[in-house]
Amino acid sequence: MPAALALGPALTAQAQQPAAGPYRATARRVNDLVHTKLAVRFDYAKRYLYGQEWLTLQPHGTPTDSVRLDAKGMDIKAVSLVQGATLVPLKYDYNQQQLRIQLGRLVPAQERYTLYFEYTAKPDELQAKGSAAISGAKGLYFINPDSAVKGKPVQIWTQGESESNSAWFITLDKPNQKSTSEISLTVPSKYLTLSNGRLAQQVPAGPGLRTDTWLMSEPHAPYLFMLAVGDFRKTTDTWRGKEVSYYFEPQYAGQARAIFGKTPRMLEFFSQRLGVDFPWNKYSQIVCRDYVSGAMENTTASLFGEQAQGTARELLDWEYAGVERETAHELFHHWFGDYVTCESWSNLTVNESFANFSEVLWAEHEYGPDAGAAHAERNRRTYLRDPGNYPKPLVRFAYADKEDMFDNVTYQKGGSILYMLRAYLGEEVFLQGLKRYLTQNAFGTGEAQQLRLALEEASGQDLNWFFDQWYYRAGHPIVTIDYQWDATRQRQAVVVRQTQAGAPFTLPLAVDVYRNGRAQRYAATLRHAVDTLYFPAATRPDLVNVDADKVLLWQKQDHKSLAQLAYQYAHAPGYLDRREALTVAPAQLADPQAQHLLVAGLTDKSPELRQLACELLDLKNPALRQAAAPALARLAAADPVVPVQAAALTALGTLADKRYTAVFTQAMASRSYKVQGAALVGLLPLQPAQALARATAFEGDAKGALAVAQVTVYGQAGSAAQWPLVLAKFDAAGAQGRFDMLAGLSALLGRLDDPAALTAGITRIRDMGVQFKSYGVAKPLIGLLRQLQQQHAARPSAAQTTTLVDAAVQAIEAAP
């Protein structure tokens, strides 16, 4: 499952010390799951599941006369032992979390026995707390079951990770258990169902009902069991004779292949690179409403939230970091997570770090090395921007709650560590090690030590040092890099100081020394708090590029001159070489070299760097403005990549130059909401009335960035007549969209005296502050509220505004 997507600078999680917790041992296996057979039906009015279950188990290593099973918040109707055609009632105790059953005899190790249950699952009555990554924990979700929300589909779906599936069936809800499965769902005939494995049977089940039976012949972990029911349209592809299918709401079914159509090629690519063919009998992907996370790798049936469905126009604005990334992530889990499953949540890295790493693999394959490096760098930045990540090791045997493991350490840091490990071992050896790990633990469980052993077998190298510092130790290197050329000794010295607390890291790396446009590569290893590396140099090198492959996870102060960075941009081949040079330039704009760097970035071959260059420009600088504006205008008019065109329009809009009115007007004819939105905001300071008219004209079809732009225009050029539109757009937007709309909403609110409008607007700002306080939004939102109070200080609404603002500030400050 992917971690929740970062919502931008406004919603960056604040540093927190990890909560202390006891040692988390791997769950003891007294009994093992063997097979789970379910027959379930649903009460939509009560939001209940009525279940029959036949659960086959066997004692693990020693005989036992009892079994303890997970069953959360159920009404247990019957517990029996299956003896041929006879059901023998058994004694049991139940505390609403676990069911302890007396088996009536001592069952020898490895002897199978089957229990029969009748029960009612009542997920909406379950007191279950979610987490930052997975916001719900009740296992089974009824979506709009009474059709109370017009236009919203009726659906049922499940979310098992981490240990929530035991809210809808009885099991041993631990990741080190595995079971084959047979799941029969009795549902209204008008609906489609989806579950694990193959659809083995569909039979009528009475008036208006049908029973679908899904069979999974290979063992998988209980948290990976799933079901989904609803009005879906199925689109089917194939890969090597296996079904690959996509389930969407009817209005989005036409976009099924545009959204998930790369899946067969992903299956082929990952199967070939890993040397292990996709090990399951089919692969489905389904999009559901009100999902509690991003997506989930249920075995053979990945479930995605509604961010994965959109119209043809919306898809124009999608970027790799969204649904395509998620598609690769969930698919790769079918090797790392489903085929071989973490044996405990402490070792979640062997699931999630690999899925994170797969996003880089697919980006490299599909879009080239720059795209892969850009995604890898995005992962590093996500981990590094929150100091609260630093004290946590990747493998964590102590934590307050298992949900705490679903964080930027397990995902982004772990993926970055695999990126380093691949570079250190070499791709082919690294992949051979992964193949060993997968085949040695097939349909079983794994942990980081088994991964290490497999990689050692493949490489012939001891890797304890690597795993000790990156898997079992917290933090990362923090370094300064200084350069000294000695003309007398004709050598170049590079001094690297590790300044982080604790022992130095061992860091193998490559160093490229450039002379006359050519690089000589040297291998080196840092081991000490201070390491000095020497390289032969009869003349001063033009550039010394430490960590030339840009794979290390570290924070560095690299004391290169601007001239050296400009040389690096022009001659070093990597995406991060160029990005590093561009990001330093804005701080030195007085130097023409910095200006030339940024202008060069506008024509970089990487769309990510063209976009970055647009965003880094400070067009208040006259020389830079004169040099950059023509290139910006070309990008704004014709760059083929939507985010680049939109970024260029945004930068051009800061000039408020009437010469570019035609550029903005032309861009508003784009099919992209993002391009239209940037053009509309660019037109606003030039022709406010025209911008207001165009914003109003877009009301028939405005989503995403265009909706945000409309609120911006209404905020600056609108009146009370636009307030209902602003409020409706704000309420319909996601969290990031609402934050993006706050400036426009507050600008309009500052001019309105209507008591109802003031109450509605300030209440929404308050609610954002309370809900997202942990992301550091309290201070800016309180500042926004106080600004509103000042704007109304001399207006008839002053008293009401003060009362509302004071109450809102108090609520935000009091929120946890």
Side-chain angles (χ1 to χ4, degrees), residues 246-258:
Y246 324 123
Y247 291 72
F248 284 88
E249 294 173 30
Q251 67 267 37
Y252 298 108
Q255 304 305 317
R257 287 193 174 93

Side-chain angles (χ1 to χ4, degrees), residues 148-201:
V149 180
K150 185 179 180 181
K152 186 174 186 177
V154 176
Q155 297 177 351
I156 300 174
W157 48 261
T158 60
Q159 167 56 37
E161 196 172 38
S162 54
E163 296 174 10
S164 299
N165 270 344
S166 50
W168 65 275
F169 68 94
I170 299 165
T171 190
L172 289 167
D173 207 352
K174 298 296 179 184
N176 63 343
Q177 291 284 342
K178 293 207 168 183
S179 170
T180 54
S181 62
E182 177 180 335
I183 301 178
S184 296
L185 311 170
T186 298
V187 301
S189 301
K190 62 184 177 181
Y191 293 145
L192 289 186
T193 70
L194 178 65
S195 190
N196 310 101
R198 66 181 179 88
L199 180 59
Q201 187 180 55

Side-chain angles (χ1 to χ4, degrees), residues 353-596:
S353 301
F354 274 103
N356 179 274
F357 176 65
S358 76
E359 302 165 10
V360 176
L361 287 178
W362 180 252
E364 290 172 341
H365 172 75
E366 185 72 359
Y367 301 105
D370 276 3
H375 196 72
E377 174 63 9
R378 189 178 296 114
N379 286 333
R380 282 192 287 265
R381 292 199 310 272
T382 298
Y383 161 72
L384 289 170
R385 72 185 176 198
D386 181 5
N389 293 324
Y390 303 170
K392 303 180 210 174
L394 184 56
V395 176
R396 231 169 300 160
F397 293 106
Y399 50 79
D401 189 286
K402 60 188 176 299
E403 304 298 329
D404 298 340
M405 293 299 299
F406 295 84
D407 62 8
N408 296 143
V409 176
T410 296
Y411 287 75
Q412 284 80 9
K413 183 182 184 184
S416 299
I417 289 168
L418 292 170
Y419 191 70
M420 286 192 294
L421 190 52
R422 178 183 65 163
Y424 174 68
L425 294 175
E427 180 143 339
E428 291 309 312
V429 170
F430 175 72
L431 291 172
Q432 281 298 315
L434 300 192
K435 180 179 179 180
R436 283 177 179 266
Y437 171 78
L438 290 170
T439 54
Q440 289 169 354
N441 302 290
F443 297 110
T445 61
E447 59 176 291
Q449 294 290 15
Q450 290 165 296
L451 174 64
R452 174 183 62 80
L453 291 170
L455 290 165
E456 287 181 343
E457 290 173 12
S459 66
Q461 299 185 47
D462 176 82
L463 293 173
N464 275 294
W465 65 271
F466 185 95
F467 278 74
D468 285 349
Q469 72 181 14
W470 288 113
Y471 278 76
Y472 299 102
R473 173 182 170 184
H476 54 271
I478 303 172
V479 305
T480 60
I481 307 174
D482 293 283
Y483 306 89
Q484 301 164 359
W485 177 64
D486 188 329
T488 302
R489 298 184 179 183
Q490 296 190 346
R491 71 182 186 185
Q492 174 71 45
V494 178
V495 182
V496 184
R497 295 176 174 85
Q498 296 192 43
T499 62
Q500 73 279 354
F505 282 72
T506 298
L507 301 171
L509 47 75
V511 180
D512 283 351
V513 179
Y514 283 81
R515 300 179 190 84
N516 301 319
R518 301 183 65 183
Q520 175 69 50
R521 174 155 291 194
Y522 300 90
T525 301
L526 308 178
R527 293 188 174 88
H528 308 98
V530 180
D531 283 291
T532 303
L533 309 175
Y534 295 100
F535 306 97
T539 58
R540 184 189 298 275
D542 298 307
L543 173 70
V544 179
N545 196 10
V546 178
D547 182 27
D549 291 322
K550 296 294 182 289
V551 294
L552 290 180
L553 176 61
W554 62 4
Q555 287 175 298
K556 66 175 181 177
Q557 291 183 358
D558 195 347
H559 295 142
K560 291 188 179 87
S561 68
L562 184 59
Q564 289 168 331
L565 286 167
Y567 187 95
Q568 178 174 305
Y569 182 88
H571 294 89
Y575 167 89
L576 284 175
D577 295 310
R578 307 193 313 276
R579 188 183 195 281
E580 185 176 83
L582 288 175
T583 55
V584 170
Q588 304 183 53
L589 278 184
D591 191 319
Q593 287 186 103
Q595 299 168 23
H596 294 155

